[in-house]
Amino acid sequence: MPKRIRKAVLPVAGLGTRFLPATKTVPKEMLTVVDRPILQHVVDEAMAAGIEHFVFVTGRNKAVIEDHFDNAYELEDTLRRRGKTKELQALLDELPDPGACSFTRQQAPLGLGHAIWCAREIVGDEPFAVLLPDMVTMAGTAKTRCLAQCVEAYGKHGGNIIAVEEVAPEETHQYGVVSVGKDFGRDFEITSMIEKPPKGTAPSNLIISGRYVLQPEIFAILENVEKGAGGEIQLTDGMKGLAASQAFHGVRFDGRTYDCGSKIGFLTANLAFALERPELAEALRAEARKLGL
Ligand code: UTP
């Protein structure tokens, strides 16, 4: 029986340069998809997968993230005095349990692999989840979201799990790509992985899509990983090192991912999530028609 996944690492120390000037003072993870910060959507997904402890790897200008997961005394008091009990209750219901969030600083954005390594002392010696906060997922027909499907696959195979999705072959050079060994249908053995392969050289069109279950031995490997693609310390390079001694399985998860680190992904996520809301969908469709969509 593999050890339960209790902790999740959420790296939020990137600069979000693709969203400047919005991200000059507002962390990109706090931009909203409809009325929830991107990061709140991702924490919701982690909670639904049974995560109990959230480890945020932050950087300078990200203090607002810490405040978002705390009581907002003045606001709550004002809502209480104005009788806005529904709004107040919604805020209180969403607060993580006291002590369930930890924050550590990456100090310099040296890459995703380095950001994950910064969580080593808080995670300790147990398997953990990683959620890239700019990837927002929506459940498919299975009704469970991506991380829950990864945790389910971990229950079956143990070891390390990576969520993957299909993209057009001409897009693979922008992502981490895996190759498929023994195939079980939804999940499969990963035989190799590569970060941002040069055009035309990707081993498949299955890309690493931002949800992982990893064993704690990854930390010792990340400590010694050299800078890779883009001059950054890459998580994929660390996972390649770990794959020499441990199994990795991929999960073709049921659902959709929106890359909210890109403008198109962010705008599409707003439309998709708004269309899921009964009180917004009809009015939004009417506005879209006026725009000729
Ligand atoms: P990205 O490369 O998409 O984020 O990293 P970014 O660097 O903030 O964005 P751009 O390219 O400048 O617009 C994926 C995730 O990893 C985190 C980011 O915050 C993001 O959530 N990250 C990345 C770190 O925490 N530290 C890093 O050094 C790099």
Side-chain angles (χ1 to χ4, degrees):
M1 188 63 182
K3 271 193 193 168
R4 204 159 68 81
I5 308 298
R6 301 184 313 119
K7 296 182 182 173
V9 178
L10 297 96
V12 289
L15 299 177
T17 52
R18 284 169 291 171
F19 266 97
L20 284 169
T23 47
K24 191 174 167 189
T25 53
V26 177
K28 81 170 166 187
E29 298 80 9
M30 294 306 288
L31 301 179
T32 60
V33 169
V34 191
D35 49 9
R36 300 172 81 65
I38 290 173
L39 191 54
Q40 182 82 58
H41 284 277
V42 178
V43 166
D44 293 345
E45 178 185 339
M47 279 181 174
I51 298 299
E52 295 165 0
H53 194 114
F54 304 87
V55 184
F56 298 92
V57 181
T58 73
R60 284 183 292 285
N61 291 335
K62 304 274 182 168
V64 65
I65 292 178
E66 205 162 329
D67 293 340
H68 182 75
F69 293 101
D70 196 359
N71 282 107
Y73 177 76
E74 283 181 353
L75 172 64
E76 288 161 14
D77 188 51
T78 305
L79 291 175
R80 198 172 286 117
R81 279 189 288 106
R82 291 187 183 170
K84 296 207 174 261
T85 37
K86 212 171 95 206
E87 289 80 359
L88 175 63
Q89 202 51 48
L91 285 186
L92 297 178
D93 287 348
E94 290 194 342
L95 267 186
D97 288 340
C101 294
S102 296
F103 299 85
T104 185
R105 289 268 181 130
Q106 190 185 6
Q107 296 173 338
L110 300 180
L112 177 59
H114 182 259
I116 302 304
W117 178 73
C118 291
R120 67 198 179 283
E121 294 293 341
I122 303 174
V123 170
D125 189 25
E126 59 181 282
F128 62 101
V130 172
L131 299 102
L132 299 198
D134 43 8
M135 304 303 281
V136 174
T137 68
M138 193 181 259
T141 48
K143 298 284 178 215
T144 57
R145 283 172 71 180
C146 185
L147 188 65
Q149 294 176 36
C150 293
V151 170
E152 194 186 326
Y154 167 77
K156 187 168 150 195
H157 299 291
N160 302 269
I161 305 289
I162 302 178
V164 301
E165 65 189 302
E166 235 173 82
V167 296
E170 60 275 15
E171 290 174 15
T172 48
H173 66 283
Q174 308 168 54
Y175 302 98
V177 182
V178 300
S179 45
V180 181
K182 195 170 173 196
D183 204 337
F184 306 97
R186 167 86 64 88
D187 42 84
F188 60 90
E189 214 172 61
I190 293 176
T191 48
S192 69
M193 42 193 130
I194 177 162
E195 187 60 40
K196 301 191 175 63
K199 277 187 183 171
T201 65
S204 76
N205 62 344
L206 292 174
I207 62 153
I208 298 176
S209 63
R211 303 291 184 263
Y212 315 73
V213 171
L214 296 172
Q215 296 294 324
E217 288 77 18
I218 190 82
F219 293 124
I221 294 171
L222 285 172
E223 191 159 349
N224 296 309
V225 161
E226 306 270 317
K227 284 181 184 167
E232 296 196 335
I233 297 173
Q234 296 288 352
L235 179 60
T236 305
D237 293 338
M239 294 192 300
K240 269 164 74 176
L242 186 58
S245 56
Q246 292 191 12
F248 273 78
H249 285 85
V251 180
R252 300 176 181 94
F253 70 96
D254 170 41
R256 268 212 72 170
T257 316
Y258 300 96
D259 177 5
C260 291
S262 81
K263 292 185 185 79
I264 287 295
F266 172 76
L267 294 169
T268 313
N270 267 288
L271 284 176
F273 276 81
L275 289 171
E276 289 286 299
R277 297 264 292 262
E279 79 281 18
L280 296 175
E282 204 178 311
L284 180 60
R285 281 203 178 87
E287 292 299 327
R289 277 193 294 274
K290 283 189 215 162
L291 292 171
L293 296 178

